[in-house]
């Protein structure tokens, strides 16, 4: 079991930056690959990025490549999403999630989810 809590969302102008953090409870954080998903208003939840258990491998959806960076600190039980060059279309509720599976970009692969944090990008 792992419990996840996101933080760092907010309102930012287009072109700005935000850093999301997701803290995990328990001693098994390093046993999970971690992912970030987002749900834009009126749309379904979509994959954004994922990182392997060690942090050595990362994966991004095309829409955020070159702008977002995922990282993790296993000593702090925390995964981060640095978001630069934000666009209005990045507006969404952002969720972190944990998985022991390898299909990191698949929503149903994740068994544990945080409550989400709102990111709003104004034009």
């Amino acid at each position: 079991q792992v419990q996840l809590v996101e933080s760092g969302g907010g309102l930012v102008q287009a072109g700005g930056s935000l850093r999301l953090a997701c803290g995990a409870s328990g001693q098994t954080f390093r046993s999970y690959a971690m992912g970030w998903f987002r749900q834009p208003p009126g749309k379904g939840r979509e994959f954004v990025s994922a990182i392997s258990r060690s942090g050595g491998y990362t994966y991004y959806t095309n829409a955020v490549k070159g702008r977002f960076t995922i990282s993790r600190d296993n000593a702090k039980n925390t995964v981060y999403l640095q978001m630069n060059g934000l666009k209005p279309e990045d507006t969404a509720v952002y969720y972190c999630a944990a998985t022991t599976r390898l299909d990191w970009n698949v929503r149903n692969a994740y068994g544990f989810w945080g409550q989400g944090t709102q990111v709003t990008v104004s034009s």
Side-chain angles (χ1 to χ4, degrees):
Q1 287 280 348
V2 60
Q3 293 182 324
L4 305 172
V5 179
E6 302 95 336
S7 61
L11 173 64
V12 63
Q13 288 188 334
S17 298
L18 283 174
R19 188 194 196 199
L20 305 183
C22 173
S25 65
Q27 302 298 315
T28 59
F29 177 70
R30 64 183 66 237
S31 298
Y32 296 93
M34 299 297 295
W36 285 97
F37 287 74
R38 66 186 180 186
Q39 187 162 8
K43 297 184 179 180
R45 197 170 299 189
E46 61 188 30
F47 172 78
V48 175
S49 181
I51 189 167
S52 63
R53 292 177 293 176
S54 67
Y57 294 93
T58 57
Y59 187 37
Y60 299 92
T61 191
N62 287 339
V64 308
K65 280 182 181 177
R67 299 189 297 123
F68 291 11
T69 302
I70 191 171
S71 61
R72 67 188 294 163
D73 185 339
N74 285 345
K76 295 183 178 179
N77 283 9
T78 303
V79 61
Y80 304 96
L81 187 68
Q82 178 67 45
M83 305 186 295
N84 299 329
L86 282 162
K87 304 175 181 180
E89 53 263 44
D90 295 317
T91 295
V93 178
Y94 283 72
Y95 299 88
C96 72
T99 183
T100 57
R101 289 169 48 170
L102 296 178
D103 43 348
W104 299 344
N105 62 329
V106 177
R107 176 183 173 180
N108 289 341
Y110 291 81
F112 303 98
W113 292 84
Q115 83 289 348
T117 186
Q118 176 71 47
V119 171
T120 303
V121 184
S122 63
S123 57

